[in-house]
Amino acid sequence: QAQLVESGGGLVQAGGSLTLSCAVSGIIFSGNDMGWYRQVPGKQRELVATITSRSVTTYADSVKGRFRISRSNTKRTVYLEMSALKPEDTAVYYCNRLVSLLNWGQGTQVTVSS
């Protein structure tokens, strides 16, 4: 059964950095396009960064230039390096594939204080 396990969140001051990790199991990881999503209570989940199986990346305008998505097929892990964090980046962050979403993991909370 597919499983997504996010980690690396925490409390950080505005301007700081964090790196999130998402360990993926139960699927052929290398062949899947993956994404990082975030959700604030009361709002829809937002796709913030994507990476294809060939490591082509895209970013939401709100994070472009500040976030970097990457992957390690050997470790079956997707990463999200976040820098120049802003209070509006506060959310629970999730990873998932872009097509045929898997059951969501527990996510990892990122809180940015002003």
Side-chain angles (χ1 to χ4, degrees):
Q1 185 174 356
Q3 189 174 19
L4 304 166
V5 180
E6 300 91 350
S7 62
L11 173 64
V12 63
Q13 287 189 329
S17 301
L18 281 174
T19 297
L20 308 183
S21 300
C22 174
V24 182
S25 60
I27 61 171
I28 302 174
F29 177 75
S30 60
N32 278 273
D33 299 343
M34 300 295 296
W36 277 98
Y37 303 73
R38 66 186 181 187
Q39 188 169 27
V40 175
K43 292 191 175 182
Q44 284 195 328
R45 200 163 289 176
E46 172 191 18
L47 179 62
V48 298
T50 71
I51 186 166
T52 70
S53 58
R54 296 187 177 186
S55 293
V56 176
T57 60
T58 65
Y59 299 92
D61 287 344
S62 58
V63 307
K64 201 171 293 183
R66 300 187 299 119
F67 289 13
R68 179 176 176 269
I69 188 172
S70 60
R71 66 190 294 159
S72 168
N73 290 337
T74 55
K75 294 183 179 180
R76 303 173 60 83
T77 300
V78 188
Y79 303 97
L80 186 67
E81 297 173 59
M82 307 184 295
S83 60
L85 283 162
K86 304 176 180 180
E88 51 263 44
D89 295 318
T90 295
V92 180
Y93 284 73
Y94 304 85
C95 73
N96 212 317
R97 61 183 180 185
L98 300 184
V99 178
S100 298
L101 291 173
L102 305 171
N103 289 334
W104 294 95
Q106 82 288 350
T108 187
Q109 175 71 49
V110 173
T111 303
V112 185
S113 63
S114 57

